[in-house]
């Protein structure tokens, strides 16, 4: 993934960080939830969805 525009606000920066951790893994499970808490969540997990929503609200194109 190439980030054309650097994150500007804390909200955007945090959201990017969250999405970097909570990423799609094997079997469509979230790698971040497994690594951080040994938990299993389908991707996008709740944290990833929150981060994606935050980026959309901030006007950041996440595609
Ligand atoms: Zn997750």
């Amino acid at each position: 993934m190439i980030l054309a525009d650097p994150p500007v606000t804390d909200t955007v920066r945090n959201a990017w960080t969250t999405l970097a951790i909570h990423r799609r893994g094997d079997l469509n499970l979230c790698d971040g939830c497994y690594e951080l808490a040994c938990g299993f969540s389908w991707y996008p997990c709740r944290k990833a969805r929150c981060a994606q929503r935050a980026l959309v609200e901030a006007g950041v194109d996440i595609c």
Side-chain angles (χ1 to χ4, degrees):
M1 182 168 20
I2 297 171
L3 305 180
D5 298 306
V8 282
T9 66
D10 282 351
T11 300
V12 170
R13 213 180 345 260
N14 289 341
W16 276 120
T17 303
T18 299
L19 286 177
I21 297 169
H22 291 267
R23 61 209 183 278
R24 190 190 309 273
D26 293 341
L27 305 177
N28 221 25
L29 292 166
C30 176
D31 272 354
C33 285
Y34 178 70
E35 289 169 5
L36 294 179
C38 282
F40 290 97
S41 294
W42 299 113
Y43 184 86
C45 66
R46 197 169 63 84
K47 288 184 184 301
R49 285 201 307 272
C50 283
Q52 289 170 344
R53 189 163 53 235
L55 289 176
V56 168
E57 288 174 355
V60 176
D61 186 1
I62 58 173
C63 293

